[in-house]
Amino acid sequence: MFMFSRSICCAKLNQLSTFETLFSNLKLRPYATPLIGPLQTCESRIYSREKAEYANVNWDELGFALTKTDYMYVMNFTEEEQKFFNGTLTRFGNIEMCPSSGILNYGQGLFEGLKAYRKEDEGILLFRPQENALRMKIGADRMCMPSPTVDQFIDAVKKTVLANKRWVPPYGRGSLYVRPLLMGTGRNLGVKPSSDYTFLVYASPVGNYHKGDLNLMVEDNVRRAIPGGTGGIKAVTNYSPVYKPLTEAKAKGFSDLLFLDASSGSNIEEGSACNIFILKGNVISTPTTHGTILPGITRKSIMEIASDFGYQVEERAIPIKEVFDAEEIFCTGTAMVVKSVASITYQGKRIEYKLGAETLAQKLHATLTGIQTGLIEDKLGWTMLID
């Protein structure tokens, strides 16, 4: 369509803005093959994404800890307005609330977790943000809270990531973890739902959640969740009750705990912040999410990928005794992604499992992260390009 010679291009550099306008109307993908070599010689940025600016971070030393970024997003719900409105970006920092707020006194709050990934061409992808928005709505209903619409949720996440895009790690060197919070912030001395609420989104660059081998200890006394409780949503109150046994387990050299069901104490449920899968032959099993187990978005994605691989994937009650003869066990989660379990210790007995590049967990990890970073074609519509 456009046939420009090198001489014309170099003689008329002042027309490059016009050329840029023409080419932008073609809506080329950032990594599309240039139509004409000579024009690229004069101004290569017509064809390629502008080089990303990065924060001064040692990306290779990232762990899973907070690194303060530039901005956060805040939107409020008031008793008068009866809706979330006027969401704004503000500098990341401390927030102010009444000492009698619902979140501080009664734990009326939820959170979500999702990630933004850098592509090879330095574009930025979100992974299944609609799923997080829908899960927050389900959790908010259980906690008697209003929630942002799906569109409001996704818009807030997008704006937060783009405002902090210099903190999105380079391709293959981490991700930007995004934490949406929904909190009861109205004044509330009595035991009842708050009148006012705050929806807040912040972000932090992160690396691996567990850098070493994943060694689990089965928690035989403390139960993470009970039937009829809030184990199936991301209530803020679900996590601190397991700090004591988790701290004790880590002091003994374990990475995490594996919790049992509260009804019988004989079926495995999940870790402190991850779902679990066991492999036997061509069958992959994971505990059913029946209200005490969080329906993880990574869990859901891995189940679909594994099915595409040809495995039979089933959700069912899994007795603890089945971990003794499993061929492979792995955990999934937004923070953890997919990680092989090296060992499980139960009542003094330690069982070790296969690790390495040939494990199913590694293949699932490579496929999932390939989709998340744009390296593998997303045929399922899971990713959202935002930059």
Side-chain angles (χ1 to χ4, degrees):
M1 183 180 295
F2 300 100
M3 299 297 293
F4 301 107
S5 69
R6 182 185 299 273
S7 60
I8 292 174
C9 177
C10 295
K12 297 186 177 183
L13 287 173
N14 62 336
Q15 294 182 9
L16 281 173
S17 60
T18 302
F19 296 160
E20 288 182 26
T21 302
L22 290 172
F23 279 99
S24 66
N25 290 335
L26 290 176
K27 298 182 179 178
L28 295 177
R29 298 180 74 180
Y31 46 83
T33 303
L35 297 178
I36 305 163
L39 183 59
Q40 188 189 28
T41 303
C42 288
E43 188 60 69
S44 61
R45 68 185 177 88
I46 294 176
Y47 295 95
S48 61
R49 182 181 299 276
E50 187 174 336
K51 188 170 179 61
E53 174 195 355
Y54 290 102
N56 184 21
V57 174
N58 186 339
W59 306 111
D60 297 321
E61 292 187 1
L62 279 178
F64 199 87
L66 178 68
T67 297
K68 293 182 181 180
T69 52
D70 297 322
Y71 294 95
M72 60 186 184
Y73 183 95
V74 180
M75 182 166 58
N76 293 306
F77 175 104
T78 64
E79 190 172 25
E80 294 75 22
E81 291 286 341
Q82 286 295 301
K83 64 179 181 181
F84 282 96
F85 65 99
N86 294 343
T88 58
L89 285 166
T90 184
R91 298 295 296 188
F92 179 87
N94 295 338
I95 60 175
E96 186 176 293
M97 65 178 67
C98 179
S100 69
S101 63
I103 182 67
L104 295 180
N105 289 258
Y106 303 112
Q108 193 186 22
L110 296 163
F111 71 89
E112 276 296 327
L114 64 158
K115 287 178 176 178
Y117 295 86
R118 187 79 69 171
K119 299 171 61 183
E120 280 189 305
D121 69 356
E122 298 189 320
I124 299 173
L125 292 172
L126 291 177
F127 184 70
R128 308 189 79 172
Q130 301 94 332
E131 294 288 331
N132 295 93
L134 291 170
R135 189 168 66 181
M136 175 168 275
K137 291 184 73 68
I138 292 170
D141 182 68
R142 173 65 179 84
M143 299 288 285
C144 205
M145 305 169 73
S147 63
T149 65
V150 171
D151 287 342
Q152 285 177 321
F153 182 101
I154 294 175
D155 180 64
V157 169
K158 283 182 178 179
K159 287 177 177 175
T160 304
V161 172
L162 291 175
N164 295 297
K165 65 181 181 180
R166 72 191 187 99
W167 297 94
V168 181
Y171 170 79
R173 299 171 73 184
S175 59
L176 185 72
Y177 183 84
V178 184
R179 171 61 60 85
L181 288 167
L182 181 59
M183 306 173 287
T185 48
R187 299 177 180 181
N188 203 19
L189 189 60
V191 181
K192 62 180 180 179
S194 182
S195 56
D196 299 340
Y197 297 86
T198 298
F199 176 64
L200 185 152
V201 185
Y202 69 93
S204 173
V206 296
N208 293 330
Y209 191 70
H210 288 293
K211 289 192 175 182
D213 288 344
L214 186 57
N215 296 295
L216 305 181
M217 184 183 83
V218 177
E219 174 50 54
D220 212 11
N221 297 306
V222 176
R223 302 291 182 251
R224 177 188 172 275
I226 59 171
T230 59
I233 62 172
K234 287 189 77 70
V236 298
T237 50
N238 288 351
Y239 295 86
S240 57
V242 306
Y243 287 173
K244 181 176 174 60
L246 181 59
T247 300
E248 292 172 350
K250 288 187 174 183
K252 296 175 182 177
F254 296 100
S255 313
D256 202 348
L257 292 172
L258 177 57
F259 290 93
L260 301 175
D261 72 299
S263 298
S264 69
S266 61
N267 297 321
I268 63 173
E269 289 211 323
E270 61 181 339
S272 62
C274 59
N275 296 117
I276 190 163
F277 291 78
I278 69 172
L279 172 67
K280 292 183 180 182
N282 195 54
V283 180
I284 299 172
S285 303
T286 189
T288 306
T289 56
H290 46 60
T292 57
I293 297 172
L294 185 73
I297 295 164
T298 306
R299 171 186 181 273
K300 180 179 180 179
S301 304
I302 286 300
M303 290 172 70
E304 293 185 51
I305 293 171
S307 293
D308 288 343
F309 281 0
Y311 287 89
Q312 177 185 334
V313 181
E314 59 182 24
E315 296 178 85
R316 62 179 177 85
I318 303 176
I320 181 62
K321 64 183 180 182
E322 290 195 29
V323 305
F324 296 132
D325 58 359
E327 297 170 27
E328 187 179 331
I329 295 184
F330 56 90
C331 292
T332 66
T334 298
M336 185 176 293
V337 190
V338 184
K339 190 171 179 67
S340 294
V341 172
S343 72
I344 292 179
T345 299
Y346 177 55
Q347 295 181 344
K349 182 177 180 180
R350 177 185 171 98
I351 312 100
E352 297 185 348
Y353 305 98
K354 180 171 65 174
L355 301 175
E358 297 306 312
T359 59
L360 173 60
Q362 281 295 97
K363 295 172 184 175
L364 291 169
H365 182 278
T367 301
L368 179 62
T369 56
I371 294 170
Q372 290 171 329
T373 59
L375 189 64
I376 295 175
E377 182 183 0
D378 176 15
K379 297 179 180 179
L380 298 168
W382 286 349
T383 57
M384 179 181 292
L385 182 66
I386 63 169
D387 180 41

